[in-house]
Amino acid sequence: MVHGSHRDHRHHDQLAALAALAAQVAEVQARVLKHAEDLDVPGATGAASTATWHAHRTRTTRPAAHRAMRLATALETHDLTRAALAEGRVHLEQAEAILHALAELPADLDPALVARAETYLLADAAHHDAKGLKILGRRILETIDPDA
C-alpha cells in the first residue's frame, strides 16, 4: 500500500471522527451523572453514591464509575474544558490530564490565572497527547505566572 493514499486519509479521518464522537459521548455522560447526583437519583434508589449507582446501572467497574464521576464533578467548574470535550477538540484522556493539572493549582489562586492555565493547556492539546499534557500540567503555574 502506498503511504499517503486516499484510503489512508479516509481511515485517518474515520479514526479522528470516532475519537471526537467518543469525547462528545463522555461529556454527555458527565452531564447526565452530575444531573442524577443533583436530583439525588442514587439516594432515591438506595445507592451509597452516584458512582456506585452508575456502576450498578451500567455494569461498569467501580473504579471506572468513580473516574467518570470525578470527570463529571471537575467539568462542573471548568467550562472551557467541558466545551472542548463536547466539541470533540480534546479526547477524554486529554481532558482528564488538563483537569488534574488544574486541580493541583493552589486553591487560593486568582481565578483569572486558573482560566489562563486552562486556556493554555487546551491550546497545547492540539499538539500533545495526555502524557504530554500531564508533563506540561506539572509546570503550568510557572508558565502562566513566572513570579509565583
Side-chain angles (χ1 to χ4, degrees):
M1 178 187 278
V2 177
H3 291 288
S5 71
H6 178 68
R7 177 184 236 160
D8 288 343
H9 289 297
R10 189 176 69 230
H11 288 346
H12 177 268
D13 291 346
Q14 288 173 336
L15 285 174
L18 287 170
L21 183 60
Q24 293 169 322
V25 169
E27 189 275 335
V28 172
Q29 179 183 5
R31 265 190 289 137
V32 169
L33 284 172
K34 196 65 180 128
H35 187 63
E37 182 176 69
D38 293 345
L39 294 176
D40 194 27
V41 170
T45 64
S49 69
T50 306
T52 302
W53 170 78
H54 169 54
H56 176 73
R57 294 291 299 159
T58 61
R59 292 174 306 284
T60 302
T61 63
R62 285 183 187 226
H66 281 282
R67 180 180 177 191
M69 201 60 226
R70 279 193 304 275
L71 176 72
T73 301
L75 287 175
E76 277 287 295
T77 54
H78 296 291
D79 288 337
L80 296 175
T81 303
R82 172 187 289 290
L85 192 62
E87 293 164 12
R89 289 185 285 119
V90 297
H91 304 289
L92 177 58
E93 282 185 312
Q94 289 175 303
E96 289 173 331
I98 291 167
L99 294 168
H100 179 75
L102 297 174
E104 293 296 309
L105 292 171
D108 61 349
L109 190 64
D110 179 348
L113 285 176
V114 175
R116 189 170 167 190
E118 187 175 10
T119 300
Y120 184 91
L121 289 168
L122 285 167
D124 280 342
H127 310 288
H128 297 279
D129 63 12
K131 185 176 180 180
L133 288 171
K134 284 178 187 175
I135 294 166
L136 292 167
R138 288 186 202 119
R139 302 182 63 99
I140 192 64
L141 188 56
E142 293 172 30
T143 303
I144 60 166
D145 190 11
D147 298 331

